[in-house]
Amino acid sequence: MANVISNVALVPGIYVMKIEGKFKGNMGQFYMLRSGTGYPLLPRPISIYDIGEESISFLYRVVGEGTNLFSQLQPGQEIQLEGPFGNGFPQVEGSLALIGGGMGTAPLLLAAKYYPHAHVYLGFAQQAFGVEAFEAVAASVQVKVGGSIVEQIDPTLYANMFSCGPTPMLQALAIKTVDTSSRLYISTERHMACGIGACLGCTMRTRGGNRRVCKEGPVFPVEEVEFDDLHGV
Amino acid sequence: MISMACNIAGVPFKNPIIMASGTFGFGREYAEFYSPELLGGIVGKGLTLHPKAGNTGSRIHETASGMLNSVGLENPGVAAFLKDELDDMTHWNTAVIANVGGSNLEEYVQAVAMITENAQKRRTMNRRGVDMLELNISCPNVKQGGMQFGIQTEVAREVVRQVRNVTALPLVVKLSPNAENITQMAVMCEEEGADGVSLINTFSAMKIDIRRRRSVFANTYAGLSGPAIKPIALRMVHQVAQAVSIPVIGMGGISSVEDIIEFTMAGAAAIQVGTYNFVHLHAGAELVHGLEQWMQREKVQSLDEIRGIL
Ligand SMILES: Cc1cc2nc3c(=O)[nH]c(=O)nc-3n(C[C@H](O)[C@H](O)[C@H](O)COP(=O)(O)OP(=O)(O)OC[C@H]3O[C@@H](n4cnc5c(N)ncnc54)[C@H](O)[C@@H]3O)c2cc1C
Ligand SMILES: Cc1cc2nc3c(=O)[nH]c(=O)nc-3n(C[C@H](O)[C@H](O)[C@H](O)COP(=O)(O)O)c2cc1C
Ligand code: FES
């Protein structure tokens, strides 16, 4: 249990919640969050958005009852959270692009802080949000609202790319990267129950066999991912 | 002096709180958060003779006060379990229960024979092996198999009889709430020489994605667990405990010390905790401490004082 410091909407339906305490975590890792004592029972996986000395932040979209309860939390109220879980993005050398679509921008902010030389590409379906946070830390930020941000990216410019977003975006990026030497890592999603690798509820088929998204993932090199087994964001 | 200890089929448990199959892995993941030694016992993920990849597509979905799962018995197979998991599990000072499933009679018999042989071998080398077997005749999530055994008493009888023939390990049969007659099923287990029964496994259930106009699960049906099933589980444990004289291990939605007391009052010799492990990462440790505090507060020296009082 920890106290909420602030919980504000960036745009309607999309919030940043800051929680008090000393927390650990790397880029691309997530926490399991739960609010209240009744329904929903299961905690929800949410990526680490930002970490400070005395706080941790999450960027989330209200989609159902779990995230709806999060959005109602007021400063001073308590929330249950456990983490950090998952593998996170790898340590890489050389040029790097960070490519986020919609809520998929959430796990990339820590990566942008960690790799200040990275080029950031953010795509949004209707309305951009959270762009300033990237502009404050990144070498360059390109934003596209509507259409596909992938069109603006030349994979041959980058030794590595980290991406998170809707499946069609990830797939377009994968296709564009196929004949290049750029290494693409994507963050995947699955419904989760335990978050720590015990229930096998989040298992995903990969080229290397079954993998637990919460434990061996959520980040996988694109070669391993079977796109037809990837759920949409 | 308060004692939470209990004994089931000759196996000592330091307390009656056991982690349910499929919700605790083989213990390793949770061991990073609290010591499994606090627990009475651990039931490992359901094993089959051969490794199983499990079901494709969505595997979990939350419902009102519960969850549906369609994992489909993904597991490394008996041989890999004995080689890679058992050392860690027996290293912790807590009872180790192997949960065994299968899709036909031979698979059950061979899997149990392998585990039994391994336990004997380890014993001759002065090493602990599996302490107890839990025979899962009730997994609703595996096509052709598992389930059919759990529904009809006379079909299940053959499995229990043949498995009993090949093992001297303490044998508990895990019953399905989907059984045509769960009390009859339990009586059959006792007749065939089972040392105990555990109940309940998940209810066969369903969720439809109305937007896509299809079931959320590739297998159409999935298993319902969690607080939603607790009142029914409690009733079934009560009925079965009255019908048999072997120990009954109760489970189904247990999420608090009060729930444990209820199951004990209904006649359970011990209980298992499943879905609640997901709600609270430290569920096992929390319930063990909570139960001890409750016994102190209520001046109950041993759970025998309240067991089966209804
Ligand atoms: C590793 C990981 C990191 C994530 N990080 C973030 C994040 O930083 N910010 C954010 O807003 N969201 C994130 N998500 C998604 C978030 O977990 C879901 O939006 C949330 O669980 C929905 O819960 P709910 O109770 O509000 O909705 P529910 O009522 O549970 O569901 C509403 C809808 O969302 C779908 N859904 C629920 N959970 C998931 C899921 N895990 N994947 C795909 N679809 C789902 C349901 O099928 C349903 O259609 C992440 C998911 C994962 C697996
Ligand atoms: C994700 C999940 C996986 C499960 N896997 C198994 C299994 O492999 N073998 C088995 O006998 N029961 C399995 N079960 C059933 C549980 O052991 C337990 O009987 C059931 O969930 C009811 O208890 P609960 O309401 O406390 O969860 C599983 C349950 C869940 C939720
Ligand atoms: S959520 Fe339980 S194994 Fe990944």
Side-chain angles (χ1 to χ4, degrees), chain B residues 175-196:
Chain B
L175 307 180
S176 168
N178 309 306
E180 285 170 353
N181 185 330
I182 197 166
T183 313
Q184 215 180 60
M185 190 70 94
V187 169
M188 176 280 288
C189 293
E190 183 170 26
E191 285 168 1
E192 295 302 330
D195 299 297

Side-chain angles (χ1 to χ4, degrees), chain B residues 242-282:
Chain B
Q242 289 184 331
V244 297
S245 51
I246 49 177
V248 175
I249 302 175
M251 80 195 91
I254 291 178
S255 317
S256 67
V257 171
E258 289 71 22
D259 291 345
I260 298 174
I261 303 303
E262 278 194 74
F263 275 81
T264 309
M265 287 182 172
I271 57 92
Q272 293 185 20
V273 178
T275 302
Y276 192 56
N277 283 308
F278 310 148
V279 179
H280 284 293
L281 193 52
H282 297 84

Side-chain angles (χ1 to χ4, degrees), chain B residues 191-230:
Chain B
E191 285 168 1
E192 295 302 330
D195 299 297
V197 286
S198 60
L199 60 149
I200 53 176
N201 209 317
T202 53
F203 280 86
S204 181
M206 186 176 191
K207 166 75 189 172
I208 296 172
D209 180 337
I210 56 171
R211 199 171 50 83
R212 292 181 181 152
R213 301 183 175 204
R214 59 173 173 77
S215 171
V216 160
F217 297 100
N219 256 3
T220 311
Y221 305 133
L224 179 66
S225 65
I229 70 171
K230 199 206 88 181

Side-chain angles (χ1 to χ4, degrees), chain A residues 39 41-42 44 191-194 199-202, chain B residues 22-23 55 57-72 140-141 178 201-209 214-218 220-229 275 278:
Chain A
Y39 177 76
L41 290 177
L42 301 176
R44 301 293 192 241
H191 285 224
M192 291 183 180
C194 72
C199 73
L200 308 182
C202 69
Chain B
T23 66
N55 293 335
S58 272
R59 287 183 170 193
I60 45 185
H61 188 91
E62 186 161 351
T63 69
S65 212
M67 65 179 281
L68 295 168
N69 91 80
S70 180
V71 170
N141 297 325
N178 309 306
N201 209 317
T202 53
F203 280 86
S204 181
M206 186 176 191
K207 166 75 189 172
I208 296 172
D209 180 337
R214 59 173 173 77
S215 171
V216 160
F217 297 100
T220 311
Y221 305 133
L224 179 66
S225 65
I229 70 171
T275 302
F278 310 148

Side-chain angles (χ1 to χ4, degrees), chain A residues 162-224:
Chain A
F162 296 171
S163 187
C164 183
T167 305
M169 183 196 103
L170 298 174
Q171 199 155 13
L173 198 58
I175 291 167
K176 203 166 177 176
T177 314
V178 153
D179 293 323
T180 71
S181 58
S182 183
R183 295 181 58 88
L184 172 61
Y185 297 89
I186 65 176
S187 185
T188 59
E189 283 200 7
R190 265 290 188 281
H191 285 224
M192 291 183 180
C194 72
I196 61 167
C199 73
L200 308 182
C202 69
T203 298
M204 187 173 82
R205 268 189 298 121
T206 72
R207 302 267 154 87
N210 280 355
R211 296 281 183 272
R212 297 165 297 183
V213 168
C214 69
K215 192 83 179 177
E216 286 87 31
V219 178
F220 293 96
V222 74
E223 315 78 76
E224 286 187 24

